[in-house]
Amino acid sequence: PFILSIAGGGSTYTPGIVKSLMMRLEDFPLAEIRLYDIDESRQNTIAPVVEKVIRDHSQSIKFTVTGDPETAFSGAHFVFAQMRVGQYKMREQDEKIPLKHGVVGQETCGPGGLAYGLRTILPMVELIDMAERYADKKAWIVNYSNPAAIVAEGVRRLRPNARVLNICDMPVAAMRNMGAILGVDRHKLQVDYFGLNHFGWFTRVLVDGEDRLPELRRHIARFGLLTEDAAQTDPQHADPSWVKTWRNIKPIMDHFPEYLPNPYLQYYLMPNDIVAHQDPNYTRANEVMNGREKKLFAAAEEYKRSGILPDAFHVGVHGAFIVDVACSLAFDLRQRHLVIVENKGAIANLPYDAMVEVPAYITSEGPEPVRMGAVPLFHQTLLMQQLASEQLLVEATIEGSYEKALQAFTLNRTVPTMQHAKAILDDMIAANRDYWPQL
Ligand code: G6P
Ligand code: MN
């Protein structure tokens, strides 16, 4: 049985991930679960909830809660990483500062994602170093930390040999919705997909060898990538703002019907629409703080008082997916999953060393990307511009370069002019002074 450490143990996602683990103990046996966080007070609030989830399924799994890296990682076989540098208070800044300048306010797309990248790359590398120092030599770090595209590129540059697999639940969430629409379990879908994280397209959706994309296209033309009543999405994506996000796939496919876009492309392809519908004083960060966060903290409180744990956390593809990936790594299952990997020719007309999101067979030595061939000029061009923006941001972080940061902001499709880029960057430098390297 494995020792698993969850870095970012105080996340509101932790109970859902642990619940997914408990549902899969036969496939992924566990001797110990350790929570590690630098915010010990937050982690101590969540920990009793996590412990209860474990004890409902197992008396034998050891449970450890710590702020000490050595205790957290010694001998660990797996590390699940989900850090949020600056927490929701900084997510709020990532979203509100661009909006103040009339630009999309989003935690991973546009200037918000770039700012979050500048905060996260170096702490992520620190976490990798600590894990490598103490964990089992064959340990895998499975990383959900955002902004995943930039974090993946930063890790590739700074720790190219680390056993880190970067993942995102968005493609698999899209597959869940496809399955719900088609009436097929998502595990029965085999998809082709190319792109960068939060910036890609599905090109085929096979069920028993038959491409069901034409059928999905007809459905999306009416409802977006959601079932008609939206009821079959899991709770993580049931908020009205997420429902809108899934529905917004429709206008993109109305214009470019060939491939099915990752929903995040709406921020790059129709930024004006998005900004027009965003409230600059109340963004997604506020929704999450007042929704998901409050609900779980209240449940923790209630559990402490009454011993009864209200059903207040999300169990869905987010937790299921990371467990699937870990199983495939652990037992060399070679399952096909959409993950973030070094390109190495998988997308023939993108750079060999770009960090791309494509299907890969997950072996115990890591992902083996599947070849998606060359992509059309339109998509290649969008991808190259986004890639350049993200790579410059990584270089800005490593070199402490203001100029490269400004180039990264200017190249981002959500940013209309270099003057916008500079104004936003300067506001962000002030807001991030406790977190960014000196530019
Ligand atoms: C999806 C994305 C994540 C992102 C999350 C935000 O799951 O894959 O990268 O962090 O959405 O969701 P939230 O509910 O916090 O806005
Ligand atoms: Mn993601």
Side-chain angles (χ1 to χ4, degrees), residues 13 84 88 91 107-108 146 168-170 198 236-237 242 264 284 288 292 318:
Y13 283 111
R84 180 180 285 285
Y88 283 94
R91 177 177 181 176
E107 60 151 355
T108 64
N146 263 330
C168 165
D169 64 356
M170 213 56 213
H198 289 188
Q236 192 210 340
H237 290 124
W242 267 112
Y264 282 94
R284 179 67 188 153
V288 172
R292 182 165 72 223
H318 180 85

Side-chain angles (χ1 to χ4, degrees), residues 176-295:
R176 168 202 63 210
N177 290 11
M178 293 175 198
I181 291 165
L182 297 171
V184 175
D185 184 90
R186 71 173 169 88
H187 293 98
K188 290 207 67 185
L189 306 180
Q190 185 187 295
V191 299
D192 285 348
Y193 179 96
F194 69 80
L196 311 172
N197 176 243
H198 289 188
F199 203 109
W201 292 264
F202 292 90
T203 60
R204 291 207 302 177
V205 180
L206 298 182
V207 181
D208 297 327
E210 186 197 345
D211 190 0
R212 306 284 291 271
L213 191 51
E215 195 178 330
L216 286 170
R217 221 176 257 127
R218 287 193 294 276
H219 178 94
I220 290 165
R222 300 182 61 197
F223 307 113
L225 193 64
L226 270 183
T227 50
E228 190 174 347
D229 63 0
Q232 271 124 312
T233 49
D234 77 10
Q236 192 210 340
H237 290 124
D239 285 357
S241 52
W242 267 112
V243 169
K244 198 166 86 192
T245 304
W246 289 110
R247 299 252 189 255
N248 266 345
I249 285 182
K250 172 178 156 40
I252 303 178
M253 281 200 92
D254 287 346
H255 287 76
F256 300 111
E258 190 176 8
Y259 302 149
L260 197 162
N262 188 302
Y264 282 94
L265 280 162
Q266 63 194 260
Y267 299 110
Y268 300 98
L269 297 175
M270 37 197 263
N272 294 359
D273 268 42
I274 301 292
V275 172
H277 292 103
Q278 277 190 302
D279 179 348
N281 300 311
Y282 195 83
T283 59
R284 179 67 188 153
N286 301 111
E287 273 179 11
V288 172
M289 284 186 276
N290 292 325
R292 182 165 72 223
E293 293 266 303
K294 260 208 187 127
K295 204 167 144 202

